[in-house]
Amino acid sequence: MSHKLDRQIYLEKMLGERQAEESIVPSSSFNENENGGRSRKEAEAESEDQPGFNVMDMLWHGGSAWDAWFSCSSNQVAQVLLTLPYSFSQLGMTSGIVLQIFYGLLGSWTAYLISVLYVEYRSRKEKENVNFKNHVIQWFEVLDGLLGPYWKAIGLAFNCTFLLFGSVIQLIACASNIYYINDHLDKRTWTYIFGACCATTVFIPSFHNYRIWSFLGLGMTTYTAWYMAIAALVHGQVDGVQHTGPNKLVLYFTGATNILYTFGGHAVTVEIMHAMWKPQKFKYIYLYATLYVFTLTLPSSTAVYWAFGDELLNHSNAFSLLPKTRWRDAAVILMLIHQFITFGFACTPLYFVWEKVIGMHDTKSICLRALARLPVVVPIWFLAIIFPFFGPINSAVGALLVSFTVYIIPALAHMLTYRKASARQNAAEKPPRFLPGWTAMFVINTFVVVWVLVVGFGFGGWASMTNFVRQVDTFGLFAKCYQCKPAVPPPATH
């Protein structure tokens, strides 16, 4: 009897929390949550069969605004945290700080646009009685529903390519980081090993199941960022330190596009929103995540650049210059775990696309879906072995893919979706209160498109590809150990 009473109290508490959360959102709430598209009543009915408090539900099933915040914050500062000091050496201290703040706010704006378009798409579809049971809405589907098949093709091509190379970067970063703990194996061999480890992300069904991973991942990057800042300050400036940046246009725009990439991690915004119980609450979550990320990226990158200066031009991974201690080894291990999590973040939308292509997206068996997802991991693994250039590849991906995927396309899509007066009048989401109206939104969107197209894609693309080709010419494809210390020759025998 007491067991049933405890279960009833727990269910009433959970229901009360959910109702309190719903009371602050518009009445046009969505009926399905991401986990199989079940309604709240269906979820409650299923809970009746549970034997009381379920720890796995608490750790595994997340859909609150806090879960989304942790997901956005954790996904935004992965391995790029280690390359920002390298970008500072290319940009100089002042430009590095200014561009971080500028692109952070720009990224938050386009993430807001994506969230608005998602709400618009879903509200229109629900008016048509479309059911999203066992279906995860993705960005290309939003573009298709609002603007037609051509936009769907463009969104799908850019998004998938960006996420593909985003996953590649995580594997490269794993090999680069572990090498600073154990250099008995070269980085290429470590890439083989971590490719196999990261393949296990095929068993994580969706972003709804990243609650504990997002929380842990943000804690790991927080530790790493503050370790970098404190370790650099304790170490002090190296003898004869120089801060000559910026001194070359190629390096300047390469560093700038790496920062553009840093705050362009919202290619998975739609999937994170769809995992929420109330997606309308996402509006400013990415901005709040970015403000927290500033507390990690600005102190760490400025401190490391202050300490090592121009030495960073030849060390794209900050770990390579920081002294080897137990604190550094702990940071390396935590970043390795976090990069595994971020690999899953980048790959999960690709898994969804592949499932939809082969007709497996509605399958409820986790093992069957995991088996179907494995072909997605193979090309990622292969590309990480071909292009192991940690740092330069971030800039190339930022200029050629991120610029369109998460900056230009959302801004253009928003303007085209609301170009007609009837669309603006019936919009599910009106312009934010801090703007005077729709005209101001169009002005900001036009600025985003022009700036990113000219500076990010144009100058950034030229600079990053020039730098990338230089790395290929220097180290070659399939480089065995990119930017490794030269082997010490054995002592001569007499």
Side-chain angles (χ1 to χ4, degrees):
M1 182 68 180
S2 61
H3 176 69
K4 290 183 177 179
L5 182 60
D6 290 342
R7 181 176 61 185
Q8 184 64 31
I9 292 173
Y10 168 71
L11 291 174
E12 289 177 355
K13 180 182 178 182
M14 293 299 290
L15 179 57
E17 290 177 355
R18 184 74 59 81
Q19 288 173 338
E21 184 176 3
E22 289 171 2
S23 65
I24 61 174
V25 299
S27 59
S28 58
S29 301
F30 302 134
N31 293 322
E32 292 83 19
N33 68 15
E34 193 279 333
N35 188 22
R38 298 173 302 171
S39 66
R40 189 176 71 252
K41 290 182 179 179
E42 290 172 329
E44 291 165 12
E46 183 178 305
S47 298
E48 293 290 345
D49 299 327
Q50 301 300 321
F53 180 74
N54 192 321
V55 175
M56 282 304 296
D57 279 348
M58 183 183 72
L59 300 179
W60 186 252
H61 297 296
S64 68
W66 278 105
D67 288 308
W69 183 84
F70 277 113
S71 293
C72 291
S73 303
S74 176
N75 187 46
Q76 199 174 127
V77 283
Q79 96 301 328
V80 78
L81 186 70
L82 308 175
T83 66
L84 284 175
Y86 166 67
S87 297
F88 269 52
S89 69
Q90 298 168 320
L91 292 164
M93 186 75 79
T94 302
S95 290
I97 294 172
V98 170
L99 286 176
Q100 276 202 41
I101 296 172
F102 174 71
Y103 280 124
L105 297 177
L106 209 64
S108 299
W109 173 256
T110 53
Y112 167 76
L113 297 180
I114 292 173
S115 70
V116 167
L117 293 173
Y118 170 87
V119 171
E120 181 68 34
Y121 167 77
R122 188 156 181 178
S123 63
R124 290 185 186 183
K125 289 298 179 181
E126 290 198 339
K127 290 175 182 176
E128 300 171 5
N129 295 321
V130 175
N131 191 336
F132 294 106
K133 185 178 178 66
N134 295 326
H135 183 92
V136 177
I137 298 174
Q138 295 188 265
W139 176 230
F140 68 90
E141 293 170 318
V142 173
L143 292 174
D144 183 29
L146 297 177
L147 298 174
Y150 291 108
W151 278 87
K152 172 186 177 181
I154 293 171
L156 185 62
F158 274 104
N159 219 45
C160 288
T161 309
F162 166 45
L163 292 171
L164 178 74
F165 278 96
S167 304
V168 168
I169 290 170
Q170 300 310 316
L171 281 188
I172 297 171
C174 285
S176 178
N177 289 344
I178 192 63
Y179 182 78
Y180 298 116
I181 290 183
N182 186 337
D183 59 2
H184 296 298
L185 298 177
D186 58 76
K187 292 182 181 178
R188 188 168 65 192
T189 303
W190 280 119
T191 304
Y192 292 138
I193 295 170
F194 278 99
C197 294
C198 289
T200 58
T201 57
V202 297
F203 289 100
I204 301 177
S206 70
F207 285 100
H208 199 73
N209 310 112
Y210 271 97
R211 164 175 279 185
I212 187 62
W213 297 115
S214 298
F215 176 78
L216 293 175
L218 187 59
M220 294 167 187
T221 50
T222 299
Y223 169 88
T224 302
W226 284 107
Y227 154 74
M228 289 169 59
I230 295 170
L233 293 174
V234 171
H235 180 276
Q237 291 184 315
V238 296
D239 294 336
V241 65
Q242 291 184 325
H243 301 89
T244 58
N247 59 359
K248 292 182 180 179
L249 279 178
V250 170
L251 293 180
Y252 186 87
F253 285 108
T254 299
T257 50
N258 187 41
I259 294 180
L260 177 127
Y261 169 80
T262 302
F263 295 98
H266 43 288
V268 295
T269 298
V270 171
E271 289 83 359
I272 292 175
M273 283 189 70
H274 196 75
M276 294 177 67
W277 295 319
K278 292 297 166 188
Q280 298 97 325
K281 295 184 67 176
F282 185 87
K283 289 182 190 177
Y284 304 115
I285 284 177
Y286 196 87
L287 174 61
Y288 300 147
T290 299
L291 294 177
Y292 179 78
V293 167
F294 283 154
T295 69
L296 307 182
T297 58
L298 289 171
S300 60
S301 51
T302 53
V304 174
Y305 178 54
W306 168 84
F308 298 101
D310 290 351
E311 286 190 21
L312 286 158
L313 289 170
N314 297 315
H315 295 83
S316 55
N317 189 328
F319 281 148
S320 63
L321 290 176
L322 293 169
K324 181 175 174 58
T325 63
R326 289 178 298 174
W327 299 102
R328 192 198 73 167
D329 289 351
V332 171
I333 293 170
L334 290 177
M335 283 304 291
L336 285 172
I337 300 172
H338 183 260
Q339 280 153 358
F340 165 82
I341 298 168
T342 309
F343 181 92
F345 266 104
C347 257
T348 300
L350 295 176
Y351 296 152
F352 292 156
V353 173
W354 178 246
E355 289 170 357
K356 292 171 184 176
V357 168
I358 63 175
M360 295 286 290
H361 191 58
D362 294 337
T363 303
K364 295 183 179 180
S365 170
I366 293 178
C367 292
L368 197 58
R369 289 179 69 183
L371 188 63
R373 291 173 169 187
L374 280 176
V376 176
V377 180
V378 176
I380 294 171
W381 206 349
F382 187 62
L383 287 169
I385 296 167
I386 297 177
F387 305 113
F389 310 125
F390 189 74
I393 195 172
N394 284 7
S395 299
V397 170
L400 304 180
L401 298 173
V402 175
S403 58
F404 280 93
T405 304
V406 296
Y407 291 100
I408 295 174
I409 292 177
L412 284 175
H414 188 274
M415 287 191 289
L416 291 174
T417 299
Y418 297 108
R419 66 189 183 277
K420 296 180 180 179
S422 58
R424 295 192 294 271
Q425 185 177 357
N426 298 317
E429 293 286 346
K430 303 299 181 182
R433 294 178 181 177
F434 60 84
L435 290 180
W438 288 98
T439 302
M441 291 199 74
F442 290 149
V443 169
I444 296 175
N445 289 341
T446 302
F447 170 78
V448 171
V449 172
V450 173
W451 176 275
V452 177
L453 189 62
V454 174
V455 178
F457 177 73
F459 289 107
W462 160 73
S464 59
M465 288 309 298
T466 301
N467 190 35
F468 188 80
V469 170
R470 187 178 298 159
Q471 302 299 319
V472 173
D473 291 339
T474 303
F475 295 94
L477 300 177
F478 298 97
K480 190 173 184 179
C481 211
Y482 173 69
Q483 287 188 344
C484 295
K485 294 179 180 179
V488 178
T493 57
H494 299 284

